[in-house]
Amino acid sequence: MNYFQFYGLPESFLPDEKAIQTKYYALSREFHPDFYTLESPEKQQEILEKSTLNTNAYRTLSNFDRRMQYILEQHGLLEEGGQNDLPQDFLMEVMELNEQLMDLEMDYDSVQFKIVSDQTNEIEGYLKASIWPVLESYETLPPEQQAEALKQVKNYYLKQRYLLRIKESLNKFASSSDR
């Protein structure tokens, strides 16, 4: 079952997080296995499955990145080995960052580390500012415009994943190069 449907919420990249939490707690009480110990094994199994569904729904919908990934997957836009290619202009933009990361691997320099870190954060901020209006309006768009919005969100999501790998590399430098 779709997590949004399970919680009775419209599909949204920016849902009411308080509503998600409220629904989670209500369903946690309703489907708590301890309340069904005297029921048949089939009923206990059903409750356990609903309890697990509730936990998985909450973990997904309460986390911005997981929620975005979930929505894209629900629409068949994230595929293993599929059309998850990044735009060439973005790859060219981050190529310099990758080269600077390789330089840092060979010869750590705290000033260069700060430059790469700042550039990465700047790109990330720009991407987020660019996609935010799409995320805010998605829920109210007609279906044909939602399809286009989903393509933009996929593009953002893939870029964000790429930047996350760069940031993880930077964090390794930071932790191993405390100088």
Side-chain angles (χ1 to χ4, degrees):
M1 172 179 272
N2 179 297
Y3 294 158
F4 288 102
Q5 292 171 347
F6 183 65
Y7 277 6
L9 298 172
E11 183 178 85
S12 174
F13 289 102
L14 303 172
D16 179 349
E17 295 195 18
K18 185 70 176 157
I20 292 171
Q21 187 178 44
T22 300
K23 192 68 171 179
Y24 168 71
Y25 287 132
L27 293 176
S28 291
R29 286 187 293 279
E30 182 180 340
F31 299 130
H32 198 285
D34 289 350
F35 298 136
Y36 297 88
T37 57
L38 300 177
E39 297 289 336
S40 69
E42 294 80 17
K43 181 69 173 179
Q44 288 180 21
Q45 182 63 33
E46 175 191 335
I47 293 302
L48 183 59
E49 288 171 7
K50 287 181 179 177
S51 177
T52 301
L53 177 63
N54 184 40
T55 299
N56 292 339
Y58 180 72
R59 284 185 182 147
T60 299
L61 298 183
S62 65
N63 178 284
F64 178 76
D65 291 327
R66 287 185 194 147
R67 182 173 55 239
M68 185 177 297
Q69 179 181 358
Y70 176 75
I71 292 170
L72 292 171
E73 286 173 347
Q74 289 297 301
H75 291 275
L77 293 173
L78 292 181
E79 306 156 15
E80 292 283 328
Q83 293 298 316
N84 292 336
D85 298 332
L86 288 164
Q88 285 300 315
D89 59 336
F90 177 76
L91 291 173
M92 295 301 291
E93 185 177 356
V94 295
M95 185 167 55
E96 184 179 329
L97 288 176
N98 283 317
E99 289 171 357
Q100 292 170 345
L101 275 175
M102 287 189 287
D103 290 345
L104 283 171
E105 267 183 45
M106 301 296 183
D107 184 27
Y108 180 80
D109 176 354
S110 61
V111 173
Q112 190 61 32
F113 172 85
K114 174 100 171 85
I115 290 169
V116 174
S117 183
D118 288 348
Q119 287 174 337
T120 303
N121 289 333
E122 185 179 318
I123 293 169
E124 187 176 43
Y126 171 77
L127 289 175
K128 194 167 196 168
S130 298
I131 199 63
W132 207 256
V134 176
L135 299 177
E136 288 180 321
S137 65
Y138 175 79
E139 185 181 335
T140 61
L141 294 173
E144 64 278 357
Q145 290 179 2
Q146 277 188 344
E148 184 55 39
L150 284 168
K151 290 177 189 171
Q152 293 173 13
V153 173
K154 175 187 175 183
N155 193 10
Y156 166 79
Y157 177 81
L158 295 174
K159 289 177 181 179
Q160 188 62 27
R161 295 293 91 184
Y162 193 93
L163 288 176
L164 180 62
R165 288 192 294 276
I166 291 174
K167 291 176 86 166
E168 287 170 351
S169 294
L170 287 168
N171 287 337
K172 288 177 193 170
F173 289 127
S175 62
S176 66
S177 304
D178 290 327
R179 302 172 190 176

